[in-house]
Structures are given as C-alpha cells and as structure tokens.
Amino acid sequence: ATYIAQFAENSPSTGMDEPISQGWTAHCDGLTLYVSDPQGRPYYVWSSNGKLIYYGTASKIDLPIEGSYLVKLGDSTRKIVTQ
C-alpha cells in the first residue's frame, strides 16, 4: 500500500496534538492489562516479538512478563508498556 500526505499552508488544525478517542481504553497495573470498551468488542494483544498473547473480550488479563505489548481493537492499535 502507498500512502501520500498533502500539506497546505494555513490549513485548520487536524487535531493530531490531541489524543485520539476510539471509545476504548487500555492500561497496565503491574503485569495485569485492563481493557475497557463500551461496545464489548474483542481485541488482540501481541508481545513485542509478535507472539499473539490473547484474543477476546475479557476486561482484565495477566501478561506473562514485563515488556511492551500491542493492543489492537477495531481499527486502532495502542502500545502498552508494563512497569
């Protein structure tokens, strides 16, 4: 796929400085991942090496180790880092 960006002088703000809200949230507390989606859609969780860790609709899952994870729900993906 090829993507082309076009920029115009004095164009209105695109809102890229503001958080993009897709109606769902994801965060970690230790090795526990919490995902909240008002629509109850299933989501994917991948480890930083590309291994699928989880697919489903649970609001809370235990992650195997500390590190970075990708959470994909619908058309949006978020990076989550355990601490």
Side-chain angles (χ1 to χ4, degrees):
T2 302
Y3 299 95
I4 300 172
Q6 295 180 335
F7 301 94
E9 289 184 34
N10 301 320
S11 63
S13 172
T14 62
M16 292 303 288
D17 292 336
E18 302 170 10
I20 299 172
S21 174
Q22 298 290 332
W24 65 280
T25 62
H27 72 277
C28 278
D29 183 5
L31 290 178
T32 303
L33 172 67
Y34 296 90
V35 177
S36 175
D37 178 39
Q39 298 176 25
R41 298 172 290 177
Y43 60 94
Y44 295 89
V45 178
W46 287 282
S47 65
S48 59
N49 66 0
K51 180 180 177 187
L52 179 63
I53 301 296
Y54 177 80
Y55 175 76
T57 60
S59 61
K60 177 177 105 170
I61 65 167
D62 293 325
L63 299 171
I65 61 171
E66 289 184 352
S68 298
Y69 294 88
L70 294 177
V71 180
K72 182 178 188 316
L73 197 158
D75 291 334
S76 63
T77 302
R78 299 183 185 166
K79 180 180 178 181
I80 303 294
V81 179
T82 61
Q83 296 185 5

